[in-house]
Structures are given as C-alpha cells and as structure tokens.
C-alpha cells in the first residue's frame, strides 16, 4: 500500500480539475482519476491505466491514492466488527469505526474527529479529550479501506467526535459520497449525528440532503446541560427552532437520540416533557440503552422503564425504537469508542 505523498482520496472533482491543470494535463484526466479512486478503488496511481504514462509519472511525484488499511480489527460474537485506524498528522493517534451487519443492512459507523470536545458525561470518547479533526481523506478512508466496503448500505456519523465541529471536512466527505463522480450514494443512506451545533447544522441542512440525527438525551435544558455540556453554548431550544423551520417532508428523515439513565431521565413525566418539546416535528425517536463507563455516576435504565418510556412516546404519536446493543463485548457499542489499540492496553 502506497501512502507516500498527499492523498488523492478526499479530493472533489473540482479540486482534481485544479490539480491536473496545475500539471498541464487535460481536464478530462480529473474525471478519470475520480473514477479510479472512488469507483474502481485502485490503491496505486500506477494502476490508473487509462492515464498517460506522463500523467502517472507527474502525479506520483507528489501524490498517492492514500487508502490505508485499518491497523487492527476485532470481531464481536454478534458479527459487529470494530476497526482501528491510525490518524492525525505524524501518526500516533487512533480512531475507530464500527461495521454493523443487520439482515439486509450493513451499516458503518464512522468517526469525524480524534476524540471529542463535547464532554458528554456518559461517553468514553468525551473522556479521552480532543486531539484533532480528521481530514476528508481520513473520513473516506474508513469507508473505503475495510473489507466490507462494497456491501455497505448505510453510513452513520456516530463514531468518535462531533461531526459538525469538523463541518468542512465532513460536508466535503458527504458531497463525495453522494456525487456521481464519487460513490454515487443516495443521501438517504447517510446519517449525520450531532449534539446540535446550530450554525453548522443550518449549513448542513443547506449543503446536504443527508439524514439528521440530533442527540437530545434529556427532556429539558437544565438536565441536558448536566449530561451534554454543549447545551450551554448551543441550547436545544434554538436547534428545535431551526429544525422547525426546515422542510423534512422530502424523504429526509429527522431523528432524535435519547440515551436512558436509570432514575435520571427515564420517568414517564420525562417522556411526556420530551413529547411536548418535540411537538410539531415530523421525527423518529431512538431510545439508546446506556453502556456503563467507570465513574459516570449513571446507571442503565431497566428494560421495563425503557418500554414504558417508549409507550408514552408512541401514545403521543412519535415513532420510537429501542435500539439493540451491538458489539458490547468488543467495546463497539454507542458511547464506548475510545482510541483503544489492544496492543497498548
Ligand atoms: Fe462527543 Fe458524541 Fe461522545 Fe458527546 S456522545 S462526547 S458528542 S462523541
């Protein structure tokens, strides 16, 4: 695998056009390169056989395809696979992606940052701090380098990091995933999950058509500020106002993620308050079982409480799903991702 030089993966068609122009190569070479990277998935510039020998030679002086394999792979007994990638300039940092097969769906949960700045109290990633943003190349590499890449049906930005704190790279990655010259995916297959960085969310709603999942986790601002500190800078009230102004009727799905904690946010009155606050929004609610992490001072909600919570929301006409936990035995479940390289443990 050649990863010497600047990565071509992560370049938009326009950027590739500028690049080939700088080398004095014909404009159509840009489309050919995009085709080799995103469609034919070659690993070396030398394999781009319809490019002239001169073009390959010139490009190879400074560029590489830039697809790098995961450095570690762990498989759960339920079929979930967690991948570890080296990331960040100079290496030495790690990020994780989780492959989740489920019947005819095959979802890849990808990371957008090395660590996270949001500091949600229930999340192992939040505990490890923030080491930097991923580049568009590092985001797409997670999708393109794993062995199940060709059979993926869905991508969710629910791994390490807050995607909208790295909006430039994430929105560019989504643009490449959905472009004809890129993966050519329907935006319906991609979900961007956010705590609600309001200005960047407005931008994501404008610039992409992907599905939006908002991590709400609490029925009111006071409790949310304790669980999701970002509430103080980006109040959910503002996020909901923004979402209310957006038209979600054109097949774009809006969902809310709500992790349930025993005795904290899982009472029926919490469900009623949540339903009240989400009134008028055409949305789906995902209830997420909490996977305990040390010293969080939070316990998972009992199954009966989760079902009672779901029942209240269903009665209020909110389609609500209790998520199944996947990959718990390999720390791949929601909130458990945290840079683990097994050889370092
Ligand atoms: Fe960051 Fe998401 Fe963890 Fe919150 S839950 S700390 S936004 S990775």
């Amino acid at each position: 695998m050649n990863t010497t030089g600047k990565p071509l993966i992560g370049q938009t068609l326009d950027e590739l056009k500028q690049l080939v122009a700088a080398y004095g190569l014909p404009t159509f070479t840009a489309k050919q390169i995009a085709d080799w990277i995103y469609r034919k998935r070659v690993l070396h510039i030398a394999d781009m056989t319809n490019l002239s020998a001169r073009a390959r030679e010139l490009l190879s002086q400074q560029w590489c395809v830039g697809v790098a394999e995961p450095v570690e792979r762990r498989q759960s007994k339920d079929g979930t696979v967690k991948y570890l990638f080296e990331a960040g300039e100079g290496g030495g940092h790690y990020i994780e992606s989780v492959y989740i097969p489920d019947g005819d769906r095959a979802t890849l949960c990808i990371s957008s940052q090395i660590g996270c700045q949001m500091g949600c109290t229930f999340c192992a990633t939040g505990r490890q701090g923030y080491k930097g943003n991923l580049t568009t190349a590092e985001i797409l590499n997670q999708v393109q380098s794993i062995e199940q890449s060709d059979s993926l049906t869905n991508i969710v930005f629910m791994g390490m990091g807050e995607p909208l704190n790295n909006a430039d790279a994430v929105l560019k990655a989504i643009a490449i995933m959905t472009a004809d010259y890129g993966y050519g995916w329907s935006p319906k297959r991609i979900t961007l999950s956010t705590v609600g960085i309001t200005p960047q969310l407005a931008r994501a709603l404008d610039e992409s058509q992907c599905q939006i999942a908002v991590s709400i986790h609490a029925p009111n601002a006071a409790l949310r500020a304790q669980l999701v500190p970002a509430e103080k800078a980006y109040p959910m009230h503002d996020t909901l106002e923004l979402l209310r102004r957006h038209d979600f009727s054109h097949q774009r799905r809006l969902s809310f993620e709500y992790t349930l904690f025993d005795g904290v946010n899982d009472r029926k009155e919490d469900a009623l308050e949540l339903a009240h606050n989400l009134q008028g929004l055409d949305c789906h609610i995902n209830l997420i079982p909490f996977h305990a992490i040390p010293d969080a001072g939070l316990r998972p909600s009992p199954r009966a409480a989760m079902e009672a919570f779901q029942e209240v929301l269903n009665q209020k006409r909110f389609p609500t799903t209790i998520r199944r936990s996947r990959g718990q035995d390999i720390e791949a479940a929601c909130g458990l991702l945290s840079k683990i390289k097994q050889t370092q443990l």
Side-chain angles (χ1 to χ4, degrees), residues 62-73:
Q62 283 187 303
W63 297 84
C64 64
V65 171
V67 172
E69 285 176 358
V71 293
E72 206 165 270
R73 174 193 196 279

Side-chain angles (χ1 to χ4, degrees), residues 143-210:
V143 182
Q144 219 164 295
S145 68
I146 61 167
E147 70 243 71
Q148 307 89 344
S149 184
D150 290 337
S151 60
L152 293 174
T153 61
N154 296 79
I155 298 288
V156 293
F157 282 87
M158 293 185 182
M160 297 166 76
E162 161 54 56
L164 292 181
N165 253 4
N166 186 16
D168 286 348
V170 166
L171 292 175
K172 191 167 144 191
I174 292 172
I176 293 171
M177 288 175 191
T178 54
D180 287 342
Y181 69 80
Y183 300 163
W185 277 30
S186 159
K188 281 188 269 180
R189 295 167 66 183
I190 302 164
T191 301
L192 191 156
S193 171
T194 177
V195 297
I197 311 290
T198 328
Q200 300 301 338
L201 179 57
R203 194 181 147 197
L205 289 169
D206 270 358
E207 291 181 21
S208 92
Q209 284 299 315
C210 70

